[in-house]
Amino acid sequence: MEENTNKSANYALLEERIARLDKKNFDWTAWKKGTLLVLEKIFGADSLYVKELSETDYHYNSWSLRDTAGSEDPVKASVRELLNICLTDVEHRTSESADRNQNSQSDLNNILSQFLDHDTMTELQEIAKSAGPVIMKEEQTKDLINEKLPKHQDVLLGKILLDYYLKK
């Protein structure tokens, strides 16, 4: 899985929030606000993760006792566990998304191959990968389609759109 080695931006944000829990000058209020923003960005404001962290509060009166005892603060342990669950969720969503994108690409290739021969498909790939402004590539693609599919453009577009909306 390539996403795991490169790590998505969301995954990195969550790891950074976990790392901040261990900072010497930890500020619960600032950490919680920042982490809520990250969770809202990734999962949405209505997410259970956001709700759970919003309802978590830190009790300052027992810090020194925990610091001398050497055990981790239960609130920090709880939010660390929550963020670890979020990491797993992000990782899972990323792999699902990659699978969906690969399937969509395969489906599109199947539709295009019904209308275009191998040489035309190769020519389209070369246009897409060529240097130059997008508008020029769009014009070249339009010309190629007009040349190769003068009577079937509407059917091709219809199949692509139906495939897209049926999978949504």
Side-chain angles (χ1 to χ4, degrees):
M1 216 187 295
E2 199 170 88
E3 285 292 328
N4 290 343
T5 56
N6 294 336
K7 295 200 177 144
S8 71
N10 292 339
Y11 195 93
L13 283 170
L14 289 169
E15 283 186 322
E16 187 269 338
R17 299 315 297 173
I18 291 172
R20 284 181 179 252
L21 285 169
D22 298 325
K23 292 223 174 184
K24 188 84 169 154
N25 55 352
F26 179 73
D27 177 354
W28 168 255
T29 305
W31 181 87
K32 182 177 175 180
K33 284 180 184 179
T35 305
L36 283 170
L37 289 172
V38 168
L39 293 178
E40 286 177 14
K41 174 192 175 291
I42 297 171
F43 300 106
D46 296 333
S47 161
L48 290 175
Y49 302 132
V50 171
K51 182 181 178 195
E52 184 68 28
L53 183 59
S54 295
E55 294 173 0
T56 303
D57 249 333
Y58 206 98
H59 301 288
Y60 294 97
N61 57 359
S62 57
W63 273 6
S64 60
L65 179 61
R66 277 189 292 273
D67 287 345
T68 58
S71 61
E72 183 174 33
D73 180 292
V75 176
K76 282 186 179 181
S78 173
V79 296
R80 186 182 311 277
E81 181 63 23
L82 175 70
L83 292 181
N84 281 324
I85 292 168
C86 292
L87 282 172
T88 302
D89 193 352
V90 164
E91 197 169 21
H92 180 69
R93 288 179 185 205
T94 303
S95 63
E96 275 184 355
S97 176
D99 290 345
R100 270 196 308 274
N101 287 343
Q102 191 171 10
N103 288 340
S104 294
Q105 185 70 31
S106 176
D107 292 343
L108 181 58
N109 282 337
N110 288 338
I111 292 170
L112 291 175
S113 67
Q114 292 174 18
F115 292 89
L116 305 171
D117 59 25
H118 178 73
D119 292 339
T120 306
M121 296 274 282
T122 302
E123 197 172 340
L124 281 171
Q125 287 176 345
E126 288 172 2
I127 290 170
K129 292 178 182 178
S130 67
V134 173
I135 191 136
M136 185 178 78
K137 294 177 187 183
E138 290 171 351
E139 193 65 33
Q140 289 173 331
T141 302
K142 181 187 78 137
D143 292 343
L144 183 65
I145 290 173
N146 283 337
E147 176 189 329
K148 302 289 181 174
L149 298 172
K151 297 178 184 176
H152 302 290
Q153 296 168 15
D154 295 342
V155 176
L156 173 61
L157 180 60
K159 281 188 171 235
I160 292 170
L161 291 173
L162 277 175
D163 185 65
Y164 172 78
Y165 284 110
L166 287 173
K167 290 186 174 144
K168 223 175 173 189

